[in-house]
Amino acid sequence: MGKGCHLRWQIAKGNSAIAVFYEMRKGVLSMTNAVFPQTIFTTLRIFNNYGANDMCYGDISKVRLKREFGLTNISNVVDPYTLTRLTTFDNPQSRFAGVYGGVHRGEKVSIQECARLLFEEMQVTSLPYSFVGEYKYLINQMIRHFQHSSGSPFFDAQLSAAYRDKLYSDYAAKKTKSVMQKTIDLFIDYDTRGFPQDRLNDLRSAIKGSVLPKFDSIAVDKINGTGICVHDVYATRVDIISITVDKHGWKAQVKFTGQDHFGLDTDDILKKKFNQFQFFRIWFVLQRYDKFGFRPFLTNMDAVIDIEGNR
């Protein structure tokens, strides 16, 4: 049996390794184009990570909250440790504070009533972070979700719209798009009208080296509600939905999926930028104090954008 006949016989028997070798020897093995939709990038931080520290709840005692985290004055309305309403004489911001020493003059409340009062105060103290723009009411919805939804994931079309705006307007996010555009442009195959499968790793590397979208701009995100709702984005996935190619150029539909945790971890509350503000002290106590234990939740958002290039 001749060598060529032998190889064809092995191929017929299903020996794929020899089959590939034979086709390569023939010089007809062509690059295959990637088939979409396809996930091309996922952050190292995983989605649905309920084991993260900021997803813990009801796990810290009163003693630890006071001693380790310095959380003594939590509210201007109620003392969560003694379950007592506060009066003018108890408010640390009042000129009459401390007149009666450490004895609260207000009435006792139940745990449920105390939590309700703290959530009301949390809504009020969120105002400095969300007083302009079309997304300023998102934090109100998320606080209500925190109060009533027992940790179920949160998704809101308005938050996804904010995420999409970020992809189009934020400097770092626009650089991510630019990196993708340049990489696709470099490897797009006009002869086969597609993107080579074996070049997806180049695209992954390019995205990995870029800065993915976050709600952490120095000015706007701090006052339009998005910074306090999300700030960081814990995990991100990038999917190419489609790439269409013609003789003039190409167009890709790309989906960004982001997930954050609406919860505070122990490192957060030890930082001055959180600890000094009443909003975050109330949040941490409602979440982590073993008398309350309101559950943090996953915040989900997604956006589809177009990226294109000319031949």
Side-chain angles (χ1 to χ4, degrees), residues 8-33:
R8 283 192 291 272
W9 176 72
Q10 291 284 1
I11 291 168
K13 290 183 63 178
N15 192 322
S16 58
I18 294 178
V20 170
F21 174 75
Y22 177 64
E23 292 298 308
M24 289 179 69
R25 287 291 300 271
K26 285 173 64 181
V28 298
L29 183 65
S30 61
M31 281 189 207
T32 57
N33 285 329

Side-chain angles (χ1 to χ4, degrees), residues 279-298:
F279 173 84
F280 295 104
R281 295 200 302 271
I282 293 171
W283 180 351
F284 192 80
V285 166
L286 283 168
Q287 177 185 334
R288 306 299 291 261
Y289 184 23
D290 57 16
K291 293 294 189 293
F292 294 132
F294 284 87
R295 295 183 62 175
F297 54 87
L298 301 172

Side-chain angles (χ1 to χ4, degrees), residues 258-308:
Q259 186 178 83
D260 195 41
H261 301 167
F262 192 85
L264 293 176
D265 65 30
T266 51
D267 288 338
D268 288 333
I269 203 61
L270 287 170
K271 296 173 184 174
K272 186 177 180 181
K273 69 177 182 178
F274 293 110
N275 191 285
Q276 66 179 318
F277 294 111
Q278 197 169 359
F279 173 84
F280 295 104
R281 295 200 302 271
I282 293 171
W283 180 351
F284 192 80
V285 166
L286 283 168
Q287 177 185 334
R288 306 299 291 261
Y289 184 23
D290 57 16
K291 293 294 189 293
F292 294 132
F294 284 87
R295 295 183 62 175
F297 54 87
L298 301 172
T299 303
N300 297 313
M301 64 208 92
D302 58 52
V304 176
I305 63 170
D306 292 328
I307 302 175
E308 57 187 45

Side-chain angles (χ1 to χ4, degrees), residues 223-253:
I223 60 174
N224 72 355
T226 58
I228 197 170
C229 290
V230 179
H231 183 68
D232 194 1
V233 177
Y234 184 85
T236 302
R237 184 176 67 249
V238 182
D239 298 275
I240 292 182
I241 298 174
S242 64
I243 294 181
T244 55
V245 186
D246 60 30
K247 62 182 180 180
H248 302 294
W250 58 270
K251 184 175 182 178
Q253 274 198 317

Side-chain angles (χ1 to χ4, degrees), residues 69-140:
F69 302 101
L71 297 174
T72 51
N73 296 318
I74 309 302
S75 163
N76 293 331
V77 177
V78 65
D79 185 337
Y81 303 130
T82 63
L83 298 177
T84 308
R85 275 186 176 271
L86 301 181
T87 67
T88 303
F89 302 103
D90 303 307
N91 190 330
Q93 300 178 24
S94 169
R95 60 185 294 189
F96 303 109
V99 170
Y100 290 98
V103 179
H104 295 324
R105 308 293 293 180
E107 63 182 1
K108 290 286 185 179
V109 296
S110 66
I111 291 176
Q112 292 77 16
E113 177 65 7
C114 181
R116 187 188 68 78
L117 292 169
L118 288 173
F119 272 109
E120 284 185 357
E121 194 173 4
M122 193 178 175
Q123 291 278 11
V124 172
T125 53
S126 73
L127 293 176
Y129 310 99
S130 56
F131 61 88
V132 297
E134 58 187 310
Y135 307 122
K136 63 183 180 180
Y137 298 112
L138 269 173
I139 187 60
N140 303 112

